[in-house]
Amino acid sequence: MGFHGRFGLVGLAVAGLALIAGCGGGETEGAVLRADAEFDPPAAATAFRPIGEANPAVAQTFTVEQDGRLEEFWLVVTDGESADAGTIRVTVQPVDGGGVIDDDVADSLIDPILINTSSLPAILVDDFTEFDIGDEPGRDVLAGERYAIVVEFVSRAGDTDDAAIARVLGLLPAPGDPYAEGTGATGELGVGFTNNTEDYFFRTFVLD
């Protein structure tokens, strides 16, 4: 897992990743890593959705643009204002034809990623965090399929306060839908999600 400034050197990072993918690393020789679905507008964040007991999970849906294997994704997720550290979990959940997010963590396209919030960028820093999926089975995706990147509260390491342990950044409507190919949502795995009017910054990458 690594960090990338959202407004700088992104294209260079992608080019470097493509070169690495083509040079081996356990993947098929000649495979090329390509940017796929993304919401990365040239605008500073205006939505700062909290993660904590009161708001257990934030999701961003997207539509796959090209066939391949989901290799990695980037999110703008930061530490929260709580004095306590904590643990969050990131999954990639299927979305059905009606736009409903599958809330069963066992159906995640990837193995759940657990993150200590103390390792995230400082609160409200508008930088991408990179999530490498690695060589997991079952991560093949097809153009037109829909998924949701879900960031969920797991636990709090302490009881100093009940403030957010993390925040997910994006855009409020201004006034229209910021990202037409998907939507932001809040809720909880095992319970369900409700769409909102926000969209959260992300980028996805596939190997073809």
Side-chain angles (χ1 to χ4, degrees), residues 46-183:
T46 56
F48 310 93
R49 184 63 65 167
I51 301 290
E53 294 89 342
N55 190 52
V58 174
Q60 176 63 50
T61 69
F62 66 92
T63 303
V64 176
E65 295 182 359
Q66 54 195 324
D67 298 353
R69 285 175 291 170
L70 184 64
E71 179 74 6
E72 67 179 67
F73 57 92
W74 300 357
L75 292 174
V76 181
V77 53
T78 77
D79 197 4
E81 60 269 31
S82 176
D84 300 322
T87 301
I88 58 175
R89 176 174 62 188
V90 183
T91 59
V92 179
Q93 301 294 133
V95 177
D96 70 15
V100 176
I101 298 171
D102 185 331
D103 62 18
D104 186 347
V105 67
D107 293 334
S108 175
L109 185 68
I110 66 170
D111 289 339
I113 300 171
L114 294 177
I115 304 158
N116 187 308
T117 57
S118 64
S119 69
L120 294 172
I123 182 171
L124 306 189
V125 171
D126 196 349
D127 281 354
F128 275 119
T129 297
E130 175 187 325
F131 298 89
D132 295 309
I133 297 170
D135 193 18
E136 296 178 10
R139 57 193 173 91
D140 295 303
V141 294
L142 298 175
E145 292 181 337
R146 299 182 70 191
Y147 294 92
I149 301 171
V150 177
V151 182
E152 185 175 40
F153 174 84
V154 174
S155 63
R156 181 185 298 270
D159 58 1
T160 306
D161 54 51
D162 59 0
I165 63 167
R167 286 188 178 266
V168 179
L169 277 58
L171 288 184
L172 295 167
D177 184 2
Y179 174 61
E181 301 302 317
T183 186

Side-chain angles (χ1 to χ4, degrees), residues 172-198:
L172 295 167
D177 184 2
Y179 174 61
E181 301 302 317
T183 186
T186 55
E188 187 174 3
L189 289 173
V191 177
F193 289 85
T194 301
N195 292 346
N196 60 33
T197 58
E198 302 171 354

